[in-house]
Structures are given as C-alpha cells and as structure tokens.
Amino acid sequence: MAGLVIANWKMHGSLELIAEFAQEWRELPQLSGVNVVLCPPAPYLGVVSEAVEGIVLGAQNSADRVEGALTGEVSSQMLSELGCGYVIIGHSERRSLFSETDAQVAVKAQLAIAQGLHAVVCVGETLEHRDADQQDKVVSEQLLGSLAEVPWEKLVVAYEPVWAIGTGRTATPAQAEAMHGVIKGCLRGHFGDAGADIPVIYGGSVKPENAGVLFECDNIDGALVGGASLNANSFWHIASAASAGRA
Ligand code: 13P
C-alpha cells in the first residue's frame, strides 16, 4: 500500500502560517506514492483547502453524535461537506485532557466512516505502562475497545506512544515495529483477512531525521506528525521518505 503521512497541527497555526506553508509547499517537488493529509484546527479547514495544493484535507476530531444541542462540537457530516477525507479520532490528548473513552472513540469512528471519511483511530500506552512492560496488553485492549462496531473500510490505526509525543523521544524502530506487529495481529484477529489492509501509522516525535528508518520497517505504513508538520519543508521531507520507503 502507498504510504500515508498525516500532519496534525493540533491547536497551532494562524492565517500567516498557512500562507507561508502554502507558498513553501508549492515550491517543493510534487510527491508520488504517498498520500499526504493535512489536519489544521477546524476554523482553518476552508482556508487550508483553498491554499495548500496536493494534499487531502483532514480534521482533528469529530463529535460522537449526528447533530444536536452540542455547543462547540463539529459533526463528521460537516467535515465531509467541507471536503475532508480524514479525521483523527481518539488522539491521546483528547483521551487524557477531554476524558474521551474507548466507547466514544468507537462511535466517532463509526459516524465518520458512515460519512465517507477515513477514521484515524489513535492508540498508545503511557510511560508507566511501558515501564511495567504492559504496552502490548494495554494497546490491544484500547484498540479492540475503540473498534466496537467499526467497519474496516476506511479505517486507519495510528500508534502513538504517549511518552513519545512532543518529547523528542521517538520509539526506536524496533519498539515501533514490534507494536505495529501486535496491532496488525489484533486487526487480523478482529476483521479476518481484511485486517491486513488497514494502514497502521506511527506518531511521536517523527522528524525528517528519523522518518527514513521508521518507514523501512515492514509494519509501519506511514506517520502521524505533530510539531514537524508545521513547517512545509520538514513535513515534505517526512512525506518524501514515506514515498521512498514504500516504493
Ligand atoms: P509530535 O510529532 O509533536 O511528537 O506529535 C505527535 C502527535 O501527537 C501527532 O498526532
């Protein structure tokens, strides 16, 4: 499968940054063999889709209801209408800071896929779990809990060890590859043969310097990039490494 590289800008950016990013991105060579997705903060979706060429638009979150009196929420139908192809669901920051549960993540993913979006379901263990050697159990349980009633078509799984997010501390390629193997095993167990076609991407301090070695791993199908995706040049280098790594 072609590599998949997703920019998660989190709550960063401005109209000025988008203009600079778009300008720099336009001057970089076009990429092939990799799907590039950009997930800006929701208010900037329209501007990014107009300004940045050659990317698929994505969102960082969607509601767990179809519609209603839910001040501040954004539905997957709205995201789909705005031209999004992807939505990140159950990021560890949403789970820890906004108390999202596996059950909510599963409902959000179902609704997103029903609207034709790719649902990027995030899982990952804390440092405490890793230090206690509990990571395989914790991530498998989190994954299966987050996939209840979720169809496999248009599903993407992102493995983001919490201890590697924004810390500069990447999982070693061996650690990431091992966990991606566990996740792929779970997906095959849950979905049968179709599970093998679900991309599993890695996130946590991915940079141009470490992207190449990560993408050489058989079970790593791409990356979910935070900090390094705010700069067009560094994001392009990561995406370009994915296209070379999967060629
Ligand atoms: P960083 O790349 O900044 O570590 O963030 C990873 C992440 O959380 C992407 O969703």
Side-chain angles (χ1 to χ4, degrees), residues 104-120:
Q104 276 176 302
V105 170
V107 172
K108 289 180 175 207
Q110 285 168 39
L111 292 174
I113 291 173
Q115 287 299 329
L117 300 169
H118 292 267
V120 183

Side-chain angles (χ1 to χ4, degrees), residues 9 21 24 227-236:
W9 280 6
F21 186 103
E24 236 186 289
S229 72
L230 287 158
N231 176 282
N233 197 50
S234 68
F235 185 56
W236 184 91

Side-chain angles (χ1 to χ4, degrees), residues 8 10 91 93 160 164-166 204-206 224-227:
N8 176 10
K10 308 192 180 185
H91 189 280
E93 288 149 17
E160 296 206 314
I165 296 178
S205 298
V206 177
L224 181 52
V225 187

Side-chain angles (χ1 to χ4, degrees), residues 14-28:
S14 60
L15 292 176
E16 193 184 344
L17 181 133
I18 293 166
E20 265 170 38
F21 186 103
Q23 173 70 28
E24 236 186 289
W25 188 256
R26 205 171 298 126
E27 287 163 8
L28 289 160

Side-chain angles (χ1 to χ4, degrees), residues 168 170 173 205-214 228 233-234 237-238 241:
T170 329
S205 298
V206 177
K207 306 268 180 289
E209 302 78 49
N210 57 25
V213 268
L214 287 165
N233 197 50
S234 68
H237 276 93
I238 294 168

